[in-house]
Amino acid sequence: MDDRIRLSYQVEGGDLTHAGEASSSVKQALRKLGLDPSVIRRVSVCMYEGEINMVIHANGGTAQVDVGLDDITITLTDRGPGIPDIGKAMQAGFTTAADSVRDLGFGAGMGLPNMKKYSDEMTVDSVLGVGTTVTMVVRIE
């Protein structure tokens, strides 16, 4: 028997109007489950940054959140161009976002660094021309 709760969301690429809806939904679900506010905050930051990255840099994708007794696993899978240099992309302030996106207040180059900061574990798997999968684990303490 699986004690995990799975939440799944589709994220549309380029749709800044609805960007953040999946992360808001996750936040509400975690509140209903009565999780500690600090855990909810960390998961919310990870989800939001990942969701925005899928909207800005990829052609959308899927967000899957698995809530267990000891941890929450967030798996973000996009259909984007892939990340040519993950090390560079992990540097605070590095961005490939278009000027039009930055003019709207997005794409400051803090997405991946914030995701790493607020998760307990994070892996980034990227294939050029295929897409990127980011997996984050936030422990429930």
Side-chain angles (χ1 to χ4, degrees), residues 10-11 17 19 24 41-42 47 49 56 60-62 72 79 85 87 90 93 101 138:
Q10 285 295 128
V11 177
T17 303
S24 291
R41 180 176 181 272
R42 293 175 62 217
M47 261 299 291
E49 294 288 9
I56 292 172
T62 59
I72 298 168
R79 304 175 296 270
D85 186 337
M90 292 299 297
V101 171
V138 175

Side-chain angles (χ1 to χ4, degrees), residues 16 52 56-57 97-108:
L16 287 169
I52 293 300
I56 292 172
H57 300 290
D99 288 340
S100 59
V101 171
R102 288 197 304 270
D103 288 345
L104 294 173
F106 299 99

Side-chain angles (χ1 to χ4, degrees), residues 3-45:
D3 290 338
R4 296 182 80 81
I5 297 170
R6 176 168 287 167
L7 308 169
S8 297
Y9 304 90
Q10 285 295 128
V11 177
E12 295 301 319
D15 186 2
L16 287 169
T17 303
H18 295 98
E21 287 182 358
S23 52
S24 291
S25 180
V26 168
K27 186 177 188 177
Q28 289 173 0
L30 297 179
R31 279 186 181 147
K32 286 180 184 176
L33 291 172
L35 292 174
D36 184 273
S38 67
V39 171
I40 295 170
R41 180 176 181 272
R42 293 175 62 217
V43 169
S44 296
V45 169

Side-chain angles (χ1 to χ4, degrees), residues 1-5 33 35 39 66-73 138-141:
M1 184 168 129
D2 189 4
D3 290 338
R4 296 182 80 81
I5 297 170
L33 291 172
L35 292 174
V39 171
D66 291 304
V67 183
L69 297 174
D70 299 319
D71 61 36
I72 298 168
T73 301
V138 175
R139 287 194 254 310
I140 300 171
E141 300 177 25

Side-chain angles (χ1 to χ4, degrees), residues 27-139:
K27 186 177 188 177
Q28 289 173 0
L30 297 179
R31 279 186 181 147
K32 286 180 184 176
L33 291 172
L35 292 174
D36 184 273
S38 67
V39 171
I40 295 170
R41 180 176 181 272
R42 293 175 62 217
V43 169
S44 296
V45 169
C46 291
M47 261 299 291
Y48 180 78
E49 294 288 9
E51 184 178 358
I52 293 300
N53 278 354
M54 284 194 285
V55 170
I56 292 172
H57 300 290
N59 299 317
T62 59
Q64 183 174 294
V65 180
D66 291 304
V67 183
L69 297 174
D70 299 319
D71 61 36
I72 298 168
T73 301
I74 304 163
T75 306
L76 307 169
T77 305
D78 71 40
R79 304 175 296 270
I83 302 172
D85 186 337
I86 293 172
K88 198 172 194 178
M90 292 299 297
Q91 294 175 8
F94 176 79
T95 185
T96 58
D99 288 340
S100 59
V101 171
R102 288 197 304 270
D103 288 345
L104 294 173
F106 299 99
M110 293 306 297
L112 287 172
N114 278 338
M115 292 158 71
K116 179 146 183 78
K117 177 181 177 179
Y118 288 97
S119 64
D120 292 302
E121 299 172 31
M122 181 173 127
T123 59
V124 180
D125 297 307
S126 192
V127 177
L128 294 179
V130 176
T132 301
T133 298
V134 177
T135 305
M136 296 167 282
V137 176
V138 175
R139 287 194 254 310

